[in-house]
């Protein structure tokens, strides 16, 4: 079943980003993906997104469903029909919506795991904790809106980081079939990011030393998006081992 165009509001989206040793990242990626580098580093991270008023685009009413969601994402490149494509590979999605968990990988692109979210927001301070029901993923990010990006970031400005992540709108998620990835493209009507000065961060995925040995991963920066009108567009599956147009 092909997903219709879905529209809604990104009420809050935190992109917490790590810079990773390219060789370690390459080893963690399935074919056909390879790391997309920035400043000599692979870039991975966590997207913590609260959606509201989600509904098919063709439905005229202004309301819809809402949910808290988390996605581990890695900036990648791959070859398709002789062209180098870029986007993000998403090894795991988590959600507090039972509907998303049931429909993920069937109606919605990508397998969605059910999780519990604890969210605290106080003015310009945000704290999001996610714990998956299956015990295989846990995330915590807390921080405060800041006027500039961290001096230690590989990105030299908020605009530089914003441009990089805006280009990563096309995502491919793991499915229950090895080598097949569900495609989904995010189109924002009013793309705008702010810097988030992070005081605490934890990711069971990026802190797994069996995947990323000690010293191969370092937190880089975090960005915040608020009140962004958007659409989700389903894209053709990507299957490794044969040429597929993205």
């Amino acid at each position: 079943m092909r997903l219709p165009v879905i529209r809604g509001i990104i009420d809050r989206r935190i992109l917490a980003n790590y810079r990773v040793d390219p060789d370690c990242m390459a080893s963690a990626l399935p074919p056909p993906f390879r790391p997309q580098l920035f400043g000599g580093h692979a870039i991975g991270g966590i997207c913590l997104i609260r959606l509201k008023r989600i509904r098919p685009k063709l439905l005229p009413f202004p309301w819809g469903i809402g949910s808290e969601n988390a996605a581990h994402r890695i900036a990648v490149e791959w070859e398709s029909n002789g062209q180098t494509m870029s986007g993000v590979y998403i090894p795991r999605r988590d959600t507090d919506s039972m509907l998303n968990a049931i429909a993920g990988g069937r109606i919605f692109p990508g397998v969605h795991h059910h999780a519990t979210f604890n969210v605290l927001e106080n003015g310009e301070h945000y704290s999001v904790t996610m714990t998956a029901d299956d015990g295989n993923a846990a995330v915590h990010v807390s921080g405060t809106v800041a006027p500039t990006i961290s001096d230690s970031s590989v990105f030299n400005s908020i605009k530089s980081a914003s441009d990089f992540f805006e280009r990563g709108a096309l995502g491919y998620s793991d499915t229950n079939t090895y080598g097949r990835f569900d495609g989904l493209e995010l189109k924002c009507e009013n793309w705008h990011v702010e810097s988030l000065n992070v005081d605490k961060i934890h990711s069971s995925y990026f802190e797994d030393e069996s995947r990323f040995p000690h010293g191969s991963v370092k937190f880089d920066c975090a960005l915040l998006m608020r009140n962004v009108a958007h659409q989700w567009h389903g894209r053709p599956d990507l299957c490794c081992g044969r040429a597929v147009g993205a």
Side-chain angles (χ1 to χ4, degrees):
M1 181 176 181
R2 181 58 57 193
L3 181 76
V5 175
I6 299 295
R7 69 181 306 168
I9 301 294
I10 295 173
D11 192 38
R12 181 223 65 240
R13 185 190 194 201
I14 295 173
L15 293 172
N17 309 299
Y18 295 83
R19 54 183 183 268
V20 185
D21 176 84
D23 291 335
C24 291
M25 186 65 91
S27 297
L29 291 173
F33 303 115
R34 62 179 181 270
Q36 181 185 21
L37 304 186
F38 188 95
H41 302 276
I43 304 295
I46 313 148
C47 171
L48 296 167
I49 186 169
R50 180 168 62 230
L51 301 173
K52 66 180 184 180
R53 301 201 331 236
I54 299 298
R55 65 195 187 279
K57 180 181 178 181
L58 294 179
L59 294 185
F61 47 76
W63 60 87
I65 64 173
S67 60
E68 287 280 354
N69 306 273
H72 288 79
R73 38 184 278 145
I74 299 164
V76 294
E77 297 177 336
W78 66 95
E79 301 302 317
S80 177
N81 297 328
Q83 292 185 325
T84 298
M85 310 295 294
S86 63
V88 292
Y89 163 62
I90 303 166
R92 184 175 174 104
R93 292 184 180 273
D94 291 273
T95 180
D96 72 348
S97 166
M98 191 59 71
L99 172 63
N100 291 354
I102 294 171
R106 298 176 178 89
I107 299 174
F108 301 156
V111 174
H112 288 59
H113 304 270
H114 192 262
T116 298
F117 287 75
N118 185 10
V119 180
L120 299 174
E121 298 178 1
N122 183 11
E124 301 287 85
H125 184 79
Y126 292 81
S127 174
V128 182
T129 302
M130 184 278 291
T131 305
D133 291 0
D134 63 12
N136 291 328
V139 169
H140 173 74
V141 177
S142 64
T144 304
V145 177
T148 60
I149 203 163
S150 169
D151 290 339
S152 62
S153 174
V154 69
F155 302 100
N156 60 16
S157 66
I158 295 177
K159 185 180 186 308
S160 174
S162 175
D163 290 346
F164 179 83
F165 290 106
E166 187 174 13
R167 291 192 295 268
L170 176 60
Y172 282 99
S173 302
D174 270 354
T175 68
N176 289 319
T177 301
Y178 180 80
R180 184 176 68 80
F181 308 95
D182 285 343
L184 189 65
E185 185 173 6
L186 171 64
K187 293 189 176 184
C188 294
E189 298 175 19
N190 53 326
W191 178 277
H192 176 71
V193 304
E194 302 168 87
S195 179
L196 195 69
N197 183 21
V198 167
D199 50 67
K200 291 182 181 178
I201 185 167
H202 165 67
S203 164
S204 58
Y205 181 84
F206 288 103
E207 294 171 21
D208 180 358
E209 293 192 0
S210 68
R211 181 182 291 113
F212 302 112
H214 180 73
S216 65
V217 177
K218 188 172 183 179
F219 172 71
D220 186 84
C221 67
L223 303 173
L224 174 69
M225 301 175 71
R226 297 186 276 192
N227 196 33
V228 176
H230 71 289
Q231 297 180 5
W232 299 103
H233 292 250
R235 295 297 182 234
D237 296 350
L238 180 65
C239 299
C240 71
R242 62 185 180 91
V244 177

